[in-house]
Amino acid sequence: MIEQLQTYFQYPFVKYAFIVGTLIALCSSLLGVTLVLKRYSFIGDGLSHVAFGAMAIGSVLHLTSNNLITMPVTIGAAILLLMGNESRKIKGDAAIALISVSSLALGYMLMNIFSSSANVSGDVCTTLFGSTSILTIQIKEVWFTIALSAVVILVFIIFYNRIFGVTFDENFAKATGIKTQFYNLLIAIIIAIIIVLGMNLVGSLLISALVIFPALSAMRVIHNFKGVVILSTCLSVFCAISGLLISILASTPVGATIVAMDMLMFFVCCAVGALKK
Amino acid sequence: MAYIKCKNLAVGYEGKPVAEDINMKIEKGNYVCIVGENGAGKSTLMKTLLNLVKPISGEILYEEDYNAYDVGYLPQQTQAQMDFPASVWEIVLSGNLARLKHRPFYGPEEKSRTKKNLKKMDMWDKRQESFRNLSGGQKQRVLLARALCASEKMLVLDEPVSGLDPIVTADFYKLIYKLNQEGLTILMVSHDLKEGLEHATHVLHMGQDKIFFGTKEDYVKSEESRYFV
Ligand SMILES: Nc1ncnc2c1ncn2[C@@H]1O[C@H](COP(=O)(O)OP(=O)(O)O)[C@@H](O)[C@H]1O
Ligand SMILES: [Mg+2]
């Protein structure tokens, strides 16, 4: 088995996959706690469907990189959803459900009508559940991921204390003069970036799992914010790496395997949390 | 020297007033108690004074060396905070957030202020513990310590004793009174009149059709208080 892995690691694309997988796992878990506690997880879900729709448009237009269209569209949708949520004109949940279902339907339709490939359902499946595409990733996309991950991590560290304040008690922060609107926007934009990055790894249906699971797992065993953030990134990276290894060795689908590992760790953490009590 | 003055203030949501014609003046060192029935708009007025809700009409004037954000706030608790994974230390430290200005991280000054207020609230030994595992009274003292980190001038509390048992309630009021004696201005919503009003210097009564504001002595003599006290 070790030998088998050694031969695999001689190929650059396997190395790329591990670099990209680790970075995406790290970034996606950073904001998990915030997402769960601010009740933003549904926004994450909605955005991933929007990203799917944008991806479909991208493949119809034969863009050189789908990121050119998915990134701006998803960020735009994140901003809109957040504003909508605050103005309360349209009920937040309903708006998100509408947008997300519409993007799914439109995306699927576009791919069906305009696809040049013979295997449409294969393509759709790939976009929804991720694919082996992480193993065919180009060096250009590796750099793209590295650059954006660096931005996400840096922003998170610099604004760590503000993100904590706005997540724990938005009204208190606002009453003492913190620009909470701005930080909510910042959080939404980071979520959008993470979702677009994560789609490469696990596909648009499973990306929410990558964001939410590590945070929920860590919250079972640790009871302070910093600890939860650190443990959830460790868990996430561990699950991504082990999931990738398993999927290479056992030829299982990459995204689903990683999410299955996340699920497994969640049950382990639940058990540990129950034992501690 | 008034910190906050309200002139014909109307508060409410989306253009619809919940309470109107509020006139009051909060001066340095006052202990102002807001009373009234459920739904009278007490929390709404608080949020308006804290810049969380926009006033519908009228004016809020801040005077002299007081700025609108120099305030510590103890909110009516929300559900989200209940299952939040945060230690006592992290929460109280976050009260210093506005003092960071443009710095990303807390420095020694914020940490020592956090320590001082944790000790003052008798929660220093619990600083590593998780907020969600504390008792109701301990939670309120942690949030009070956080509010004290945010301001040394003005403390705003919204029904801080709801859900606490009588002994803890009495202790909490004593604590607030002590802070007031040390010079902190207090603005508190309370529905528990006997103990809540004990140390108040001024009362704002938000009734159905009339709003009373005055000293506690005047309030006790007034008509508004008759069916209430
Ligand atoms: N966010 C909101 N949007 C619209 N109406 C609200 C909101 N919050 C409270 N209200 C309404 O405003 C009125 C006053 O509420 P509130 O200020 O909480 O009363 P109190 O604190 O005195 O019990 C109530 O009728 C309530 O239904
Ligand atoms: Mg209230």
Side-chain angles (χ1 to χ4, degrees):
Chain A
M1 201 173 83
I2 304 284
E3 271 170 39
Q4 200 184 349
L5 278 178
Q6 268 171 352
T7 42
Y8 274 126
F9 268 99
Q10 283 165 358
Y11 299 107
F13 64 84
V14 177
K15 274 186 225 150
Y16 294 164
F18 275 86
I19 294 173
V20 169
T22 307
L23 283 175
I24 291 174
L26 208 159
C27 291
S28 62
S29 59
L30 281 181
L31 278 178
V33 186
T34 307
L35 231 64
V36 172
L37 290 165
K38 271 180 106 40
R39 313 277 187 259
Y40 276 2
S41 26
F42 58 95
I43 292 186
D45 229 29
L47 286 183
S48 60
H49 296 162
V50 170
F52 169 82
M55 191 97 129
I57 296 174
S59 48
V60 166
L61 296 178
H62 298 290
L63 291 179
T64 42
S65 166
N66 281 334
N67 288 328
L68 285 179
I69 182 148
T70 44
M71 196 59 87
V73 169
T74 314
I75 290 179
I79 294 172
L80 276 181
L81 284 181
L82 203 79
M83 295 302 181
N85 211 31
E86 249 148 45
S87 77
R88 284 167 193 272
K89 282 265 151 49
I90 326 159
K91 274 270 173 275
D93 296 8
I96 289 160
L98 274 182
I99 291 177
S100 86
V101 178
S102 312
S103 334
L104 265 184
L106 277 182
Y108 183 53
M109 211 163 77
L110 283 175
M111 284 178 111
N112 253 296
I113 298 175
F114 293 103
S115 179
S116 47
S117 100
N119 181 10
V120 175
S121 45
D123 284 354
V124 172
C125 210
T126 298
T127 347
L128 284 179
F129 291 104
S131 57
T132 44
S133 77
I134 181 98
L135 294 172
T136 60
I137 203 161
Q138 305 281 313
I139 182 74
K140 218 171 50 189
E141 289 167 289
V142 176
W143 282 114
F144 180 76
T145 308
I146 291 175
L148 278 185
S149 307
V151 170
V152 168
I153 294 168
L154 216 66
V155 168
F156 183 81
I157 292 174
I158 291 174
F159 292 109
Y160 171 84
N161 288 312
R162 274 121 177 137
I163 291 175
F164 174 90
V166 172
T167 312
F168 177 66
D169 193 342
E170 189 170 333
N171 277 348
F172 181 88
K174 202 171 173 187
T176 56
I178 306 294
K179 304 259 176 296
T180 52
Q181 286 272 67
F182 170 78
Y183 293 105
N184 282 332
L185 203 63
L186 191 73
I187 291 170
I189 291 173
I190 300 178
I191 292 168
I193 294 178
I194 287 169
I195 281 169
V196 172
L197 286 181
M199 274 173 67
N200 293 324
L201 187 62
V202 295
S204 61
L205 272 192
L206 299 180
I207 176 67
S208 303
L210 210 60
V211 175
I212 308 278
F213 260 128
L216 286 179
S217 308
M219 278 162 65
R220 291 274 155 173
V221 281
I222 294 199
H223 303 285
N224 64 73
F225 192 73
K226 197 179 262 168
V228 166
V229 168
I230 292 171
L231 180 63
S232 61
T233 51
C234 292
L235 282 174
S236 185
V237 169
F238 169 77
C239 291
I241 291 178
S242 55
L244 270 170
L245 281 175
I246 293 171
S247 74
I248 290 175
L249 292 174
S251 358
T252 50
V254 177
T257 314
I258 293 176
V259 174
M261 283 303 296
D262 276 309
M263 255 170 70
L264 185 69
M265 289 318 292
F266 177 69
F267 290 125
V268 170
C269 289
C270 284
V272 172
L275 281 181
K276 270 171 94 178
K277 278 184 185 164
Chain B
M1 188 176 74
Y3 273 166
I4 303 178
K5 219 183 214 171
C6 300
K7 271 193 190 161
N8 300 323
L9 182 67
V11 299
Y13 302 91
E14 282 149 28
K16 291 191 203 81
V18 177
E20 291 174 276
D21 281 330
I22 303 167
N23 288 290
M24 70 164 169
K25 197 163 83 178
I26 301 172
E27 285 181 55
K28 187 178 179 189
N30 281 175
Y31 186 138
V32 181
C33 214
I34 304 182
V35 296
E37 276 159 39
N38 266 338
K42 303 184 295 294
S43 297
T44 309
L45 172 62
M46 291 283 211
K47 287 183 189 155
T48 310
L49 293 178
L50 290 167
N51 298 292
L52 301 175
V53 172
K54 285 205 182 75
I56 297 211
S57 63
E59 278 182 296
I60 305 175
L61 304 165
Y62 302 95
E63 281 176 43
E64 302 185 27
D65 61 340
Y66 183 78
N67 97 48
Y69 295 110
D70 196 350
V71 63
Y73 175 40
L74 207 138
Q76 265 184 315
Q77 281 195 13
T78 59
Q79 209 48 46
Q81 288 173 17
M82 288 307 178
D83 46 15
F84 197 95
S87 66
V88 167
W89 171 261
E90 285 176 316
I91 288 173
V92 178
L93 192 62
S94 79
N96 295 292
L97 200 55
R99 294 180 195 274
L100 285 180
K101 302 276 191 315
H102 295 291
R103 286 176 291 143
F105 305 115
Y106 298 111
E109 196 193 320
E110 286 85 21
K111 285 177 183 161
S112 73
R113 179 178 290 109
T114 304
K115 184 174 173 181
K116 187 184 81 187
N117 287 321
L118 272 170
K119 289 201 159 149
K120 203 171 189 173
M121 293 297 116
D122 210 11
M123 291 301 288
W124 174 247
D125 295 334
K126 302 246 182 229
R127 65 188 180 282
Q128 306 286 3
E129 286 194 24
S130 170
F131 181 71
R132 57 183 167 183
N133 295 338
L134 300 177
S135 72
Q138 289 171 332
K139 276 188 179 137
Q140 289 304 72
R141 271 186 287 152
V142 170
L143 294 181
L144 197 51
R146 176 183 67 157
L148 292 177
C149 284
S151 173
E152 277 152 2
K153 287 186 180 162
M154 175 91 164
L155 189 60
V156 173
L157 310 103
D158 196 346
E159 304 203 2
V161 296
S162 58
L164 301 184
D165 67 54
I167 297 172
V168 179
T169 299
D171 281 349
F172 194 82
Y173 280 135
K174 243 181 251 162
L175 204 56
I176 302 290
Y177 183 56
K178 197 179 124 211
L179 292 170
N180 179 240
Q181 294 283 294
E182 287 171 16
L184 207 69
T185 307
I186 311 278
L187 179 63
M188 176 169 74
V189 171
S190 169
H191 54 191
D192 147 28
L193 279 166
K194 199 167 149 285
E195 285 180 298
L197 280 184
E198 189 183 343
H199 301 297
T201 58
H202 293 75
V203 178
L204 178 72
H205 178 118
M206 300 179 72
Q208 294 253 298
D209 37 36
K210 194 161 175 257
I211 289 181
F212 172 93
F213 177 75
T215 61
K216 190 175 73 177
E217 287 70 33
D218 286 345
Y219 177 66
V220 173
K221 279 182 247 155
S222 76
E223 271 191 33
E224 282 81 10
S225 74
R226 214 177 299 148
Y227 76 108
F228 220 74
V229 177

